[in-house]
Amino acid sequence: MKTYRRIKRVLVMLLVVGFVLSHAAIASDFGATATPTPTPGGSMIGGTEPRPEEDAEPSHPVMVGGEDKYVTYETLEVMKTDGTKGFGGYWADPAREPEAVFVGVTKDADRNKILARIPESWKGKIRFVEARYTYAELWDTYQEIFQQYMLSICDENYRVIYPDKQVLVSVGMSDKEGCVGVGILKTLSKERQDEVIAELFEKYGDRIIIVMEDPADFSDDNKEVIRETVGTSIFGGELSNQTAMISSGTNVIRITYADYRKENGSGRKYILWVALLGAAAVLSAVLFYALRVRNRRVYATVNGQTFAEGAGAEGSIENLARKAAEDVSEEGRGRIFAAYEKECGEK
Amino acid sequence: MSTENDQLTIWIKNMRTNRDAFAALYEEMSRPMYTVACRILHNRTDAEDIVQDVFLKMLKTDDYTAVGKVRAYILQMVRNEALMLLRRRSREDLVEDVTVDCDSAWHDSETHEDVAAIVSAIEHLNADERDIFTLHVNGELGFEEIAGIMNMSISAVYRRYQKALKKLRKMMNGGSL
Protein backbone atom coordinates (compact mmCIF):
# COMPACT_ATOMS: atom_id res chain seq x y z
CA MET A 1 0.00 0.00 0.00
CA LYS A 2 2.83 2.31 0.85
CA THR A 3 4.37 1.73 -2.55
CA TYR A 4 1.08 2.63 -4.21
CA ARG A 5 0.86 5.81 -2.18
CA ARG A 6 4.39 6.75 -3.13
CA ILE A 7 3.75 6.11 -6.80
CA LYS A 8 0.56 8.14 -6.54
CA ARG A 9 2.39 11.06 -4.97
CA VAL A 10 5.09 11.03 -7.65
CA LEU A 11 2.45 10.90 -10.39
CA VAL A 12 0.54 13.80 -8.88
CA MET A 13 3.76 15.79 -8.65
CA LEU A 14 4.60 15.06 -12.29
CA LEU A 15 1.08 15.97 -13.37
CA VAL A 16 1.28 19.30 -11.59
CA VAL A 17 4.64 20.12 -13.14
CA GLY A 18 3.41 18.99 -16.56
CA PHE A 19 0.35 21.18 -16.21
CA VAL A 20 2.46 24.20 -15.36
CA LEU A 21 4.86 23.51 -18.23
CA SER A 22 2.12 23.02 -20.77
CA HIS A 23 0.53 26.31 -19.79
CA ALA A 24 3.87 28.03 -20.04
CA ALA A 25 4.31 26.51 -23.48
CA ILE A 26 0.93 27.74 -24.64
CA ALA A 27 1.60 31.18 -23.22
CA SER A 28 4.91 31.45 -24.99
CA ASP A 29 3.36 30.83 -28.43
CA PHE A 30 5.66 28.53 -30.37
CA GLY A 31 4.41 29.68 -33.74
CA ALA A 32 6.90 32.45 -34.13
CA THR A 33 6.98 34.42 -37.30
CA ALA A 34 9.25 37.18 -38.30
CA THR A 35 6.50 39.73 -38.26
CA PRO A 36 5.02 40.63 -34.92
CA THR A 37 1.32 40.07 -34.54
CA PRO A 38 -0.47 43.31 -35.04
CA THR A 39 -2.93 44.59 -32.53
CA PRO A 40 -5.93 45.76 -34.50
CA GLY A 41 -7.76 48.46 -32.74
CA GLY A 42 -5.12 48.50 -30.07
CA SER A 43 -4.64 51.34 -27.73
CA MET A 44 -3.64 54.54 -29.33
CA ILE A 45 -0.52 56.29 -28.47
CA GLY A 46 -1.86 59.70 -29.12
CA GLY A 47 -5.14 59.59 -27.28
CA THR A 48 -8.73 58.79 -28.08
CA GLU A 49 -8.83 61.16 -30.94
CA PRO A 50 -6.19 62.77 -33.06
CA ARG A 51 -4.35 65.13 -30.82
CA PRO A 52 -2.14 68.03 -31.64
CA GLU A 53 1.56 67.58 -31.27
CA GLU A 54 2.76 65.91 -28.11
CA ASP A 55 6.41 66.37 -28.60
CA ALA A 56 8.03 67.83 -25.56
CA GLU A 57 11.20 69.49 -26.59
CA PRO A 58 13.11 69.98 -23.40
CA SER A 59 14.26 73.55 -23.70
CA HIS A 60 11.62 75.50 -25.62
CA PRO A 61 7.90 75.39 -26.01
CA VAL A 62 7.08 74.15 -29.47
CA MET A 63 4.39 75.19 -31.89
CA VAL A 64 2.51 72.26 -33.19
CA GLY A 65 -0.69 71.26 -34.88
CA GLY A 66 -0.38 72.85 -38.26
CA GLU A 67 -0.23 76.43 -39.33
CA ASP A 68 -3.90 77.12 -38.79
CA LYS A 69 -4.11 75.69 -35.28
CA TYR A 70 -1.02 76.37 -33.28
CA VAL A 71 -1.09 75.15 -29.74
CA THR A 72 1.70 75.60 -27.34
CA TYR A 73 2.83 72.51 -25.56
CA GLU A 74 5.19 72.98 -22.69
CA THR A 75 7.36 70.55 -20.94
CA LEU A 76 7.10 71.08 -17.23
CA GLU A 77 10.06 72.95 -15.91
CA VAL A 78 10.48 70.58 -13.03
CA MET A 79 10.87 67.73 -15.47
CA LYS A 80 13.26 69.51 -17.76
CA THR A 81 15.65 70.43 -15.03
CA ASP A 82 15.81 67.04 -13.44
CA GLY A 83 15.42 64.06 -15.70
CA THR A 84 14.86 61.72 -12.82
CA LYS A 85 11.72 63.43 -11.72
CA GLY A 86 9.48 62.53 -14.53
CA PHE A 87 8.47 63.69 -17.94
CA GLY A 88 5.49 64.86 -19.85
CA GLY A 89 3.87 68.17 -20.35
CA TYR A 90 0.64 70.06 -20.57
CA TRP A 91 -1.23 72.10 -23.06
CA ALA A 92 -0.66 75.75 -22.40
CA ASP A 93 -3.56 76.97 -24.46
CA PRO A 94 -6.72 76.72 -22.36
CA ALA A 95 -8.76 76.82 -25.55
CA ARG A 96 -7.24 73.54 -26.61
CA GLU A 97 -7.92 71.54 -23.51
CA PRO A 98 -7.39 67.86 -24.12
CA GLU A 99 -9.54 65.23 -22.53
CA ALA A 100 -6.62 64.14 -20.46
CA VAL A 101 -3.05 65.14 -19.90
CA PHE A 102 -0.65 62.29 -19.48
CA VAL A 103 2.33 62.98 -17.32
CA GLY A 104 5.00 60.35 -17.21
CA VAL A 105 6.56 60.00 -13.81
CA THR A 106 9.32 57.82 -12.53
CA LYS A 107 8.92 56.14 -9.18
CA ASP A 108 10.81 58.82 -7.30
CA ALA A 109 9.03 61.72 -8.93
CA ASP A 110 7.42 64.28 -6.68
CA ARG A 111 3.89 64.25 -8.06
CA ASN A 112 2.69 67.08 -5.90
CA LYS A 113 5.44 69.30 -7.21
CA ILE A 114 4.46 68.43 -10.75
CA LEU A 115 0.78 69.07 -10.07
CA ALA A 116 1.62 72.45 -8.60
CA ARG A 117 2.89 73.59 -11.99
CA ILE A 118 -0.17 72.62 -13.93
CA PRO A 119 -3.05 75.08 -14.42
CA GLU A 120 -5.66 74.67 -11.73
CA SER A 121 -8.51 74.06 -14.13
CA TRP A 122 -6.76 71.04 -15.64
CA LYS A 123 -5.81 69.22 -12.52
CA GLY A 124 -8.74 66.86 -12.68
CA LYS A 125 -7.54 65.67 -16.04
CA ILE A 126 -4.02 64.78 -15.09
CA ARG A 127 -3.18 61.14 -15.43
CA PHE A 128 0.18 60.04 -14.15
CA VAL A 129 1.85 57.34 -16.15
CA GLU A 130 4.41 55.13 -14.43
CA ALA A 131 7.54 55.67 -16.51
CA ARG A 132 10.39 53.23 -16.84
CA TYR A 133 12.69 55.87 -18.25
CA THR A 134 13.31 59.50 -17.54
CA TYR A 135 12.50 62.22 -19.94
CA ALA A 136 16.18 62.83 -20.60
CA GLU A 137 16.79 59.19 -21.50
CA LEU A 138 13.87 59.08 -23.86
CA TRP A 139 14.84 62.37 -25.40
CA ASP A 140 18.23 60.92 -26.34
CA THR A 141 16.55 57.90 -27.88
CA TYR A 142 14.18 60.10 -29.77
CA GLN A 143 17.00 62.19 -31.18
CA GLU A 144 19.03 59.16 -32.21
CA ILE A 145 16.17 57.60 -34.07
CA PHE A 146 15.26 60.85 -35.72
CA GLN A 147 18.76 61.51 -36.93
CA GLN A 148 19.39 58.01 -38.15
CA TYR A 149 16.12 57.26 -39.84
CA MET A 150 14.64 60.57 -40.72
CA LEU A 151 17.61 62.70 -41.62
CA SER A 152 19.31 59.93 -43.59
CA ILE A 153 16.76 60.34 -46.30
CA CYS A 154 17.13 64.09 -46.55
CA ASP A 155 19.55 66.38 -48.15
CA GLU A 156 21.25 69.14 -46.24
CA ASN A 157 18.13 71.21 -46.23
CA TYR A 158 16.24 68.33 -44.75
CA ARG A 159 14.14 67.87 -47.80
CA VAL A 160 13.36 64.42 -49.03
CA ILE A 161 15.63 63.38 -51.84
CA TYR A 162 15.61 59.60 -51.41
CA PRO A 163 11.99 58.73 -50.89
CA ASP A 164 12.78 55.10 -51.65
CA LYS A 165 14.89 55.00 -48.49
CA GLN A 166 12.17 56.23 -46.22
CA VAL A 167 11.14 53.77 -43.57
CA LEU A 168 9.70 55.91 -40.81
CA VAL A 169 6.70 58.14 -40.89
CA SER A 170 7.07 59.65 -37.46
CA VAL A 171 9.06 59.70 -34.26
CA GLY A 172 7.83 61.32 -31.10
CA MET A 173 7.69 61.25 -27.36
CA SER A 174 4.64 59.44 -26.06
CA ASP A 175 3.52 60.75 -22.72
CA LYS A 176 0.81 58.18 -22.45
CA GLU A 177 3.10 55.22 -23.05
CA GLY A 178 6.14 56.59 -21.30
CA CYS A 179 8.36 55.83 -24.26
CA VAL A 180 9.31 56.99 -27.73
CA GLY A 181 6.73 56.22 -30.36
CA VAL A 182 8.06 55.24 -33.78
CA GLY A 183 5.79 55.15 -36.79
CA ILE A 184 6.96 52.76 -39.51
CA LEU A 185 5.75 53.20 -43.03
CA LYS A 186 3.02 50.65 -43.49
CA THR A 187 3.60 50.41 -47.22
CA LEU A 188 7.12 49.03 -46.88
CA SER A 189 7.72 45.45 -47.95
CA LYS A 190 7.23 42.88 -45.21
CA GLU A 191 10.94 42.04 -45.22
CA ARG A 192 11.92 45.66 -44.83
CA GLN A 193 9.38 46.16 -42.06
CA ASP A 194 10.76 43.15 -40.20
CA GLU A 195 14.28 44.40 -40.68
CA VAL A 196 13.54 47.88 -39.34
CA ILE A 197 11.45 46.58 -36.45
CA ALA A 198 14.21 44.18 -35.43
CA GLU A 199 16.86 46.84 -35.75
CA LEU A 200 14.94 49.31 -33.59
CA PHE A 201 13.87 46.88 -30.90
CA GLU A 202 17.28 45.24 -30.66
CA LYS A 203 18.82 48.66 -30.12
CA TYR A 204 16.25 50.44 -28.00
CA GLY A 205 14.23 47.67 -26.39
CA ASP A 206 11.23 48.85 -24.41
CA ARG A 207 12.19 52.48 -24.74
CA ILE A 208 10.23 52.51 -27.93
CA ILE A 209 6.88 51.42 -29.16
CA ILE A 210 6.29 50.85 -32.85
CA VAL A 211 3.20 51.72 -34.78
CA MET A 212 2.60 50.72 -38.36
CA GLU A 213 1.44 53.89 -40.03
CA ASP A 214 0.17 55.06 -43.28
CA PRO A 215 0.48 58.81 -43.79
CA ALA A 216 -2.99 58.74 -45.22
CA ASP A 217 -4.32 57.83 -41.78
CA PHE A 218 -3.54 61.21 -40.39
CA SER A 219 -2.82 63.46 -43.31
CA ASP A 220 -4.94 65.34 -45.73
CA ASP A 221 -2.39 65.50 -48.48
CA ASN A 222 -1.14 61.94 -48.26
CA LYS A 223 2.30 61.41 -49.82
CA GLU A 224 3.19 65.02 -49.50
CA VAL A 225 3.13 64.62 -45.77
CA ILE A 226 5.81 62.00 -45.98
CA ARG A 227 7.99 64.57 -47.55
CA GLU A 228 7.04 67.13 -44.96
CA THR A 229 7.77 64.61 -42.28
CA VAL A 230 11.42 65.33 -42.46
CA GLY A 231 11.11 68.76 -43.79
CA THR A 232 12.15 70.71 -40.74
CA SER A 233 15.28 70.67 -38.72
CA ILE A 234 15.01 69.65 -35.12
CA PHE A 235 18.07 71.65 -34.29
CA GLY A 236 17.15 75.06 -33.02
CA GLY A 237 14.04 75.43 -35.09
CA GLU A 238 10.52 74.29 -34.97
CA LEU A 239 9.77 70.64 -35.13
CA SER A 240 7.90 69.26 -38.02
CA ASN A 241 4.41 68.38 -37.10
CA GLN A 242 4.88 64.89 -38.41
CA THR A 243 8.03 64.14 -36.51
CA ALA A 244 6.10 64.59 -33.35
CA MET A 245 2.85 63.01 -34.31
CA ILE A 246 3.06 59.42 -33.35
CA SER A 247 -0.21 57.97 -34.32
CA SER A 248 -3.89 58.26 -34.13
CA GLY A 249 -6.96 56.56 -35.37
CA THR A 250 -8.78 53.50 -34.20
CA ASN A 251 -7.09 50.79 -36.25
CA VAL A 252 -3.54 51.33 -35.24
CA ILE A 253 -1.22 48.38 -35.44
CA ARG A 254 0.84 48.70 -32.34
CA ILE A 255 3.89 46.60 -31.50
CA THR A 256 5.51 46.63 -28.11
CA TYR A 257 8.92 45.28 -27.23
CA ALA A 258 7.18 42.45 -25.38
CA ASP A 259 5.33 41.54 -28.61
CA TYR A 260 8.59 41.56 -30.49
CA ARG A 261 10.37 39.35 -27.97
CA LYS A 262 7.51 36.95 -27.89
CA GLU A 263 7.38 36.63 -31.63
CA ASN A 264 11.07 36.44 -32.32
CA GLY A 265 12.45 33.64 -30.30
CA SER A 266 12.71 35.13 -26.86
CA GLY A 267 9.53 33.31 -26.06
CA ARG A 268 11.11 30.09 -27.19
CA LYS A 269 14.20 30.81 -25.15
CA TYR A 270 11.93 31.49 -22.24
CA ILE A 271 10.05 28.24 -22.65
CA LEU A 272 13.34 26.40 -23.03
CA TRP A 273 14.43 27.81 -19.72
CA VAL A 274 11.10 27.01 -18.16
CA ALA A 275 11.30 23.47 -19.52
CA LEU A 276 14.86 23.04 -18.27
CA LEU A 277 14.01 24.43 -14.87
CA GLY A 278 10.88 22.30 -14.78
CA ALA A 279 12.86 19.19 -15.68
CA ALA A 280 15.45 20.06 -13.04
CA ALA A 281 12.68 20.59 -10.51
CA VAL A 282 11.09 17.25 -11.37
CA LEU A 283 14.44 15.49 -11.20
CA SER A 284 15.25 17.13 -7.89
CA ALA A 285 11.83 16.22 -6.53
CA VAL A 286 12.23 12.62 -7.61
CA LEU A 287 15.74 12.42 -6.17
CA PHE A 288 14.64 14.10 -2.98
CA TYR A 289 11.72 11.74 -2.72
CA ALA A 290 13.90 8.73 -3.43
CA LEU A 291 16.36 9.86 -0.78
CA ARG A 292 13.58 10.36 1.70
CA VAL A 293 12.21 6.92 0.99
CA ARG A 294 15.70 5.51 1.32
CA ASN A 295 16.26 7.53 4.42
CA ARG A 296 13.09 6.45 6.11
CA ARG A 297 13.50 3.64 8.56
CA VAL A 298 10.74 1.15 7.97
CA TYR A 299 11.17 -2.06 9.78
CA ALA A 300 10.63 -5.56 8.57
CA THR A 301 11.20 -8.74 10.53
CA VAL A 302 13.22 -11.51 9.00
CA ASN A 303 13.89 -14.66 10.96
CA GLY A 304 13.09 -12.96 14.23
CA GLN A 305 15.45 -10.03 13.62
CA THR A 306 14.31 -6.57 12.72
CA PHE A 307 15.85 -4.95 9.67
CA ALA A 308 15.18 -1.83 7.76
CA GLU A 309 12.84 -2.41 4.87
CA GLY A 310 14.59 -2.70 1.54
CA ALA A 311 17.81 -3.76 3.16
CA GLY A 312 17.82 -6.81 0.99
CA ALA A 313 17.45 -10.48 1.54
CA GLU A 314 19.17 -12.52 4.18
CA GLY A 315 22.86 -12.59 3.47
CA SER A 316 23.01 -9.11 1.97
CA ILE A 317 25.84 -6.83 2.96
CA GLU A 318 23.65 -4.79 5.27
CA ASN A 319 22.12 -7.78 6.97
CA LEU A 320 25.48 -9.34 7.52
CA ALA A 321 26.75 -6.10 8.97
CA ARG A 322 23.77 -6.02 11.31
CA LYS A 323 24.54 -9.51 12.44
CA ALA A 324 28.09 -8.40 13.03
CA ALA A 325 26.91 -5.79 15.51
CA GLU A 326 28.71 -5.88 18.79
CA ASP A 327 27.18 -6.23 22.22
CA VAL A 328 28.61 -4.84 25.39
CA SER A 329 29.97 -7.70 27.47
CA GLU A 330 28.25 -8.74 30.67
CA GLU A 331 31.17 -7.32 32.57
CA GLY A 332 30.89 -4.05 30.73
CA ARG A 333 27.17 -3.95 31.32
CA GLY A 334 27.76 -4.50 35.01
CA ARG A 335 30.25 -1.64 35.11
CA ILE A 336 27.84 0.72 33.38
CA PHE A 337 24.97 -0.12 35.71
CA ALA A 338 27.28 0.18 38.71
CA ALA A 339 28.29 3.62 37.47
CA TYR A 340 24.61 4.49 37.13
CA GLU A 341 23.88 3.38 40.68
CA LYS A 342 26.81 5.37 41.94
CA GLU A 343 25.90 8.50 40.00
CA CYS A 344 22.22 8.47 40.79
CA GLY A 345 22.60 7.02 44.24
CA GLU A 346 24.85 9.89 45.26
CA LYS A 347 22.19 12.38 44.27
CA MET B 1 1.05 8.19 17.93
CA SER B 2 4.24 7.59 19.81
CA THR B 3 7.37 7.43 17.70
CA GLU B 4 10.69 5.86 18.50
CA ASN B 5 12.11 9.30 19.20
CA ASP B 6 9.32 10.14 21.64
CA GLN B 7 10.02 6.93 23.52
CA LEU B 8 13.76 7.57 23.62
CA THR B 9 13.09 11.11 24.80
CA ILE B 10 10.94 9.89 27.65
CA TRP B 11 13.60 7.41 28.72
CA ILE B 12 16.48 9.84 28.49
CA LYS B 13 14.60 12.49 30.48
CA ASN B 14 13.59 10.09 33.21
CA MET B 15 16.56 7.80 33.47
CA ARG B 16 18.15 9.71 36.33
CA THR B 17 15.21 9.13 38.60
CA ASN B 18 13.85 5.97 37.06
CA ARG B 19 16.12 2.94 36.83
CA ASP B 20 13.70 1.19 34.47
CA ALA B 21 13.97 4.08 32.04
CA PHE B 22 17.76 3.84 32.18
CA ALA B 23 17.61 0.09 31.64
CA ALA B 24 15.24 0.49 28.70
CA LEU B 25 17.47 3.12 27.13
CA TYR B 26 20.48 0.91 27.69
CA GLU B 27 18.79 -2.08 26.05
CA GLU B 28 17.77 0.01 23.07
CA MET B 29 20.98 1.95 22.54
CA SER B 30 23.91 0.03 23.98
CA ARG B 31 24.29 -2.24 20.98
CA PRO B 32 24.49 0.49 18.31
CA MET B 33 26.59 2.64 20.65
CA TYR B 34 29.02 -0.12 21.27
CA THR B 35 29.19 -1.14 17.60
CA VAL B 36 29.88 2.41 16.48
CA ALA B 37 32.58 2.81 19.13
CA CYS B 38 34.07 -0.55 18.30
CA ARG B 39 34.25 0.18 14.58
CA ILE B 40 36.16 3.37 15.30
CA LEU B 41 38.39 2.15 18.11
CA HIS B 42 38.83 -1.52 17.19
CA ASN B 43 39.07 -2.33 20.85
CA ARG B 44 36.36 -3.90 23.00
CA THR B 45 37.46 -2.44 26.32
CA ASP B 46 37.86 1.06 24.98
CA ALA B 47 34.50 0.81 23.24
CA GLU B 48 32.83 -0.23 26.49
CA ASP B 49 34.51 2.67 28.26
CA ILE B 50 33.12 5.03 25.66
CA VAL B 51 29.60 3.63 26.08
CA GLN B 52 29.90 4.05 29.83
CA ASP B 53 31.26 7.58 29.52
CA VAL B 54 28.42 8.58 27.24
CA PHE B 55 25.79 7.19 29.57
CA LEU B 56 27.40 9.06 32.46
CA LYS B 57 27.41 12.25 30.43
CA MET B 58 23.76 11.79 29.66
CA LEU B 59 23.04 11.34 33.33
CA LYS B 60 24.75 14.64 34.05
CA THR B 61 22.87 16.52 31.38
CA ASP B 62 19.89 18.44 32.69
CA ASP B 63 18.22 19.78 29.59
CA TYR B 64 17.26 17.66 26.60
CA THR B 65 14.81 20.11 25.10
CA ALA B 66 17.07 21.03 22.18
CA VAL B 67 18.33 17.55 21.45
CA GLY B 68 16.05 16.73 18.53
CA LYS B 69 16.62 13.17 17.40
CA VAL B 70 17.78 11.32 20.51
CA ARG B 71 19.28 8.39 18.65
CA ALA B 72 21.38 10.67 16.47
CA TYR B 73 22.36 12.74 19.50
CA ILE B 74 23.59 9.72 21.42
CA LEU B 75 25.49 8.20 18.51
CA GLN B 76 27.09 11.54 17.74
CA MET B 77 28.34 11.68 21.32
CA VAL B 78 29.72 8.15 20.97
CA ARG B 79 31.49 9.03 17.74
CA ASN B 80 32.95 12.23 19.16
CA GLU B 81 34.20 10.50 22.29
CA ALA B 82 35.68 7.65 20.29
CA LEU B 83 37.45 10.02 17.91
CA MET B 84 38.82 12.00 20.84
CA LEU B 85 40.16 8.84 22.41
CA LEU B 86 41.59 7.80 19.09
CA ARG B 87 43.45 11.06 18.81
CA ARG B 88 44.95 10.52 22.22
CA ARG B 89 46.26 7.13 21.32
CA SER B 90 48.25 5.65 18.55
CA ARG B 91 45.92 4.09 16.03
CA GLU B 92 48.46 1.47 15.00
CA ASP B 93 48.52 -0.02 18.47
CA LEU B 94 44.77 -0.39 18.46
CA VAL B 95 44.38 -1.88 15.01
CA GLU B 96 46.54 -4.88 15.82
CA ASP B 97 43.82 -6.82 17.55
CA VAL B 98 40.87 -5.86 15.40
CA THR B 99 39.36 -9.19 14.64
CA VAL B 100 40.32 -10.76 17.91
CA ASP B 101 39.21 -8.07 20.27
CA CYS B 102 36.16 -6.80 18.47
CA ASP B 103 34.65 -10.01 17.28
CA SER B 104 30.98 -10.27 16.54
CA ALA B 105 28.38 -11.51 18.92
CA TRP B 106 26.97 -13.67 16.14
CA HIS B 107 27.61 -17.28 16.96
CA ASP B 108 25.78 -19.21 14.26
CA SER B 109 28.54 -21.37 12.88
CA GLU B 110 27.06 -21.39 9.39
CA THR B 111 27.24 -17.64 9.00
CA HIS B 112 30.12 -16.99 11.33
CA GLU B 113 32.59 -16.91 8.50
CA ASP B 114 30.53 -14.37 6.57
CA VAL B 115 30.13 -12.22 9.64
CA ALA B 116 33.83 -12.33 10.36
CA ALA B 117 34.46 -11.48 6.74
CA ILE B 118 32.16 -8.47 6.79
CA VAL B 119 33.77 -7.18 9.99
CA SER B 120 37.14 -7.49 8.36
CA ALA B 121 35.88 -5.87 5.18
CA ILE B 122 34.39 -2.94 7.10
CA GLU B 123 37.80 -2.34 8.66
CA HIS B 124 39.19 -1.82 5.19
CA LEU B 125 36.83 1.02 4.38
CA ASN B 126 38.16 4.51 4.86
CA ALA B 127 37.12 6.32 8.03
CA ASP B 128 34.22 8.28 6.53
CA GLU B 129 32.79 5.32 4.65
CA ARG B 130 33.11 3.13 7.71
CA ASP B 131 31.41 5.64 9.98
CA ILE B 132 28.59 6.30 7.53
CA PHE B 133 28.03 2.61 6.93
CA THR B 134 28.02 1.80 10.65
CA LEU B 135 25.83 4.74 11.64
CA HIS B 136 23.31 3.84 8.94
CA VAL B 137 23.26 0.06 9.26
CA ASN B 138 24.01 -0.46 12.93
CA GLY B 139 23.03 2.91 14.30
CA GLU B 140 19.85 2.94 12.19
CA LEU B 141 20.30 6.59 11.40
CA GLY B 142 18.97 8.18 8.25
CA PHE B 143 21.31 9.86 5.80
CA GLU B 144 20.06 13.27 6.85
CA GLU B 145 20.95 12.59 10.45
CA ILE B 146 24.34 11.21 9.48
CA ALA B 147 24.94 14.26 7.33
CA GLY B 148 24.32 16.41 10.41
CA ILE B 149 26.67 14.37 12.54
CA MET B 150 29.45 14.27 9.99
CA ASN B 151 28.98 17.80 8.74
CA MET B 152 28.45 16.71 5.14
CA SER B 153 25.70 17.13 2.60
CA ILE B 154 23.09 14.40 2.39
CA SER B 155 24.12 13.59 -1.16
CA ALA B 156 27.77 13.27 -0.11
CA VAL B 157 26.76 10.88 2.65
CA TYR B 158 24.62 8.89 0.25
CA ARG B 159 27.42 8.68 -2.31
CA ARG B 160 29.91 7.49 0.27
CA TYR B 161 27.46 4.95 1.55
CA GLN B 162 26.94 3.55 -1.94
CA LYS B 163 30.69 3.48 -2.46
CA ALA B 164 31.16 1.64 0.80
CA LEU B 165 28.53 -0.92 -0.19
CA LYS B 166 30.22 -1.43 -3.52
CA LYS B 167 33.59 -1.96 -1.86
CA LEU B 168 32.15 -4.36 0.68
CA ARG B 169 30.36 -6.34 -1.98
CA LYS B 170 33.56 -6.60 -3.94
CA MET B 171 35.55 -7.71 -0.92
CA MET B 172 32.90 -10.20 0.12
CA ASN B 173 33.01 -11.72 -3.35
CA GLY B 174 36.67 -12.36 -2.96
CA GLY B 175 37.95 -9.24 -4.62
CA SER B 176 40.35 -6.75 -3.17
CA LEU B 177 40.21 -2.98 -3.15
Side-chain angles (χ1 to χ4, degrees), chain A residues 22 24-38 190 258-269 271:
Chain A
S22 63
I26 291 164
S28 74
D29 188 6
F30 276 94
T33 57
T35 306
T37 306
K190 186 174 175 297
D259 294 332
Y260 170 75
R261 280 168 56 86
K262 186 175 157 188
E263 297 290 340
N264 287 276
S266 296
R268 276 175 292 178
K269 282 179 195 166
I271 191 62

Side-chain angles (χ1 to χ4, degrees), chain A residues 291 294-295 297 299 305-306 314 317-337 339-341 343-344 347, chain B residues 4 15-16 18-19 22 26-27 31 34-35 39 44 48-49 52 60 102-104 106 114-115 119 133 137-138 140 142-145 161 165 172:
Chain A
L291 268 178
R294 187 72 187 83
N295 196 26
R297 285 199 305 276
Y299 294 93
Q305 286 200 317
T306 302
E314 183 78 6
I317 299 295
E318 288 100 329
N319 284 349
L320 268 178
R322 280 188 195 96
K323 287 174 187 170
E326 316 291 337
D327 263 335
V328 177
S329 67
E330 277 304 311
E331 188 190 340
R333 185 182 193 280
R335 277 196 291 129
I336 291 168
F337 274 81
Y340 171 80
E341 300 294 350
E343 179 70 24
C344 295
K347 296 185 177 183
Chain B
E4 185 210 31
M15 66 180 180
R16 202 163 17 173
N18 185 336
R19 193 181 185 282
F22 176 79
Y26 177 86
E27 294 306 325
R31 191 177 167 97
Y34 180 70
T35 304
R39 293 273 185 274
R44 179 174 287 271
E48 284 182 354
D49 286 346
Q52 182 178 333
K60 288 171 183 168
C102 238
D103 205 357
S104 166
W106 187 259
D114 284 343
V115 169
V119 171
F133 184 81
V137 174
N138 299 109
E140 297 181 358
F143 292 125
E144 192 178 351
E145 294 159 338
Y161 179 75
L165 268 184
M172 293 299 285

Side-chain angles (χ1 to χ4, degrees), chain A residues 105-156:
Chain A
V105 283
T106 48
K107 279 181 183 173
D108 57 345
D110 185 343
R111 297 186 183 196
N112 290 330
K113 203 171 173 184
I114 293 169
L115 278 175
R117 297 192 54 83
I118 292 171
E120 195 64 37
S121 61
W122 290 10
K123 284 189 178 169
K125 296 173 182 177
I126 300 300
R127 294 184 194 171
F128 285 108
V129 177
E130 192 77 30
R132 293 180 297 278
Y133 300 101
T134 63
Y135 183 87
E137 287 170 328
L138 293 180
W139 180 253
D140 290 344
T141 299
Y142 161 73
Q143 280 194 312
E144 266 186 51
I145 295 173
F146 186 89
Q147 287 178 58
Q148 183 180 345
Y149 290 91
M150 303 299 262
L151 298 188
S152 62
I153 56 169
C154 307
D155 64 10
E156 58 188 0

Side-chain angles (χ1 to χ4, degrees), chain B residues 1-66:
Chain B
M1 195 172 75
S2 176
T3 63
E4 185 210 31
N5 194 56
D6 293 337
Q7 187 60 70
L8 289 174
T9 306
I10 292 167
W11 286 338
I12 204 170
K13 281 181 177 171
N14 295 303
M15 66 180 180
R16 202 163 17 173
T17 54
N18 185 336
R19 193 181 185 282
D20 289 343
F22 176 79
L25 187 68
Y26 177 86
E27 294 306 325
E28 178 67 25
M29 291 303 300
S30 65
R31 191 177 167 97
M33 287 166 76
Y34 180 70
T35 304
V36 168
C38 218
R39 293 273 185 274
I40 295 172
L41 296 167
H42 314 286
N43 184 289
R44 179 174 287 271
T45 310
D46 286 336
E48 284 182 354
D49 286 346
I50 293 295
V51 174
Q52 182 178 333
D53 289 348
V54 170
F55 270 112
L56 285 175
K57 279 195 172 179
M58 285 194 282
L59 284 171
K60 288 171 183 168
T61 303
D62 292 322
D63 187 10
Y64 285 100
T65 49

